Amino acid sequence: MRPFLIMRELVFATNNGHKLQEIRSMLNPGYRISGLAEKGIIEEIPEDHFTLEENAFQKAEFVWKRVGSSCFADDTGLEIDALQGEPGVFSARYSLIGQPVYSEMEVTAGNIRKVLEKLHGETNRKARFRTVIALIMDGHHHSFEGAVDGSITDEGCGRGGFGYDPIFIPDGSRLTFAEMEPSHKNRISHRALAVKKLVNFLTSTDPSDGLV
């Protein structure tokens, strides 16, 4: 008898379509990734801690309590040496601290503009993207981290990706994340590295590898 694939559902604690698309493209067909909206969670999930790890677990625990099934959350920060690690844990809303919430496009543009303004005239452009994924499975907590070193450009380049991608060039490349083909970025990005660790863990804990 031919083996058939068992679909294993994981809830990803995000409503960010870009993140969902990236994660789905990285995982093998044995996993079905659901976003928050698919689970009827439309409210803003709290993330009010001061480290990426704490925020990731805070979001994962919120979803675990709501849906009661395996879930994971990520938190990503851009850490710039010359800014003493800023924007870091505040990367997503860096330009909106103390300001009203605008559209995602306006927030992204504001974040990039603030970084470039703060780095104006600065020669040290070293930075890193860091992602932490928090997984809650059967009540147990696990975490996975991915990081990519690089540098900040003087201006935005490229129309792909999202967030700070237009101003971040990973070490060993001449292209920003936003200029790269998505398939290439998804092989080398901080999120890809963290997801690979997540997938390796899921595979190692499932001897059948999703096949029966």
Side-chain angles (χ1 to χ4, degrees):
M1 187 174 86
R2 290 185 61 189
F4 64 90
L5 197 63
I6 296 176
M7 293 294 291
R8 187 172 190 176
E9 183 182 36
L10 292 171
V11 180
F12 185 12
T14 187
N15 277 317
N16 186 311
H18 296 291
K19 286 186 178 183
L20 280 167
Q21 183 177 355
E22 278 195 354
I23 291 288
R24 285 167 175 160
S25 70
M26 294 175 199
L27 289 173
N28 69 47
Y31 297 96
R32 180 181 182 275
I33 304 299
S34 299
L36 293 177
E38 295 169 81
K39 294 298 179 180
I41 301 176
I42 58 175
E43 66 265 36
E44 192 80 16
I45 297 181
E47 45 180 320
D48 50 19
H49 292 289
F50 293 96
T51 70
L52 300 178
E53 294 83 357
E54 289 174 325
N55 273 348
F57 274 114
Q58 183 180 25
K59 290 186 283 187
E61 286 167 357
F62 180 93
V63 175
W64 171 262
K65 291 175 182 177
R66 285 288 299 272
V67 303
S69 58
S70 296
C71 61
F72 66 95
D74 79 319
D75 202 21
T76 294
L78 174 65
E79 301 169 346
I80 302 173
D81 287 1
L83 301 182
Q84 292 72 53
E86 288 186 12
V89 72
F90 303 109
S91 293
R93 302 290 179 185
Y94 191 42
S95 62
L96 292 182
I97 299 174
Q99 300 295 323
V101 176
Y102 298 98
S103 70
E104 182 179 342
M105 185 178 298
E106 290 174 311
V107 172
T108 296
N111 289 343
I112 289 175
R113 184 167 56 250
K114 182 172 182 177
V115 165
L116 294 180
E117 287 174 353
K118 284 201 163 193
L119 288 178
H120 181 70
E122 175 61 58
T123 57
N124 178 8
R125 317 291 289 195
K126 291 182 180 179
R128 71 201 49 81
F129 263 127
R130 194 161 65 89
T131 290
V132 175
I133 293 178
L135 169 70
I136 301 180
M137 179 170 283
D138 301 324
H140 299 289
H141 292 57
H142 311 275
S143 65
F144 312 91
E145 181 176 326
V148 172
D149 290 319
S151 59
I152 303 299
T153 60
D154 292 321
E155 60 182 6
C157 300
R159 298 185 177 182
F162 59 96
Y164 297 93
D165 285 356
I167 60 171
F168 183 83
I169 298 179
D171 286 350
S173 175
R174 294 183 178 180
L175 301 177
T176 67
F177 271 158
E179 293 176 296
M180 293 180 181
E181 290 293 329
S183 60
H184 179 54
K185 179 198 168 186
N186 289 348
R187 288 195 302 271
I188 67 170
S189 76
H190 45 293
R191 186 170 292 106
L193 296 175
V195 169
K196 286 175 184 175
K197 293 178 181 179
L198 168 67
V199 172
N200 288 339
F201 172 80
L202 294 173
T203 301
S204 69
T205 57
D206 183 4
S208 67
D209 196 25
L211 296 174
V212 174

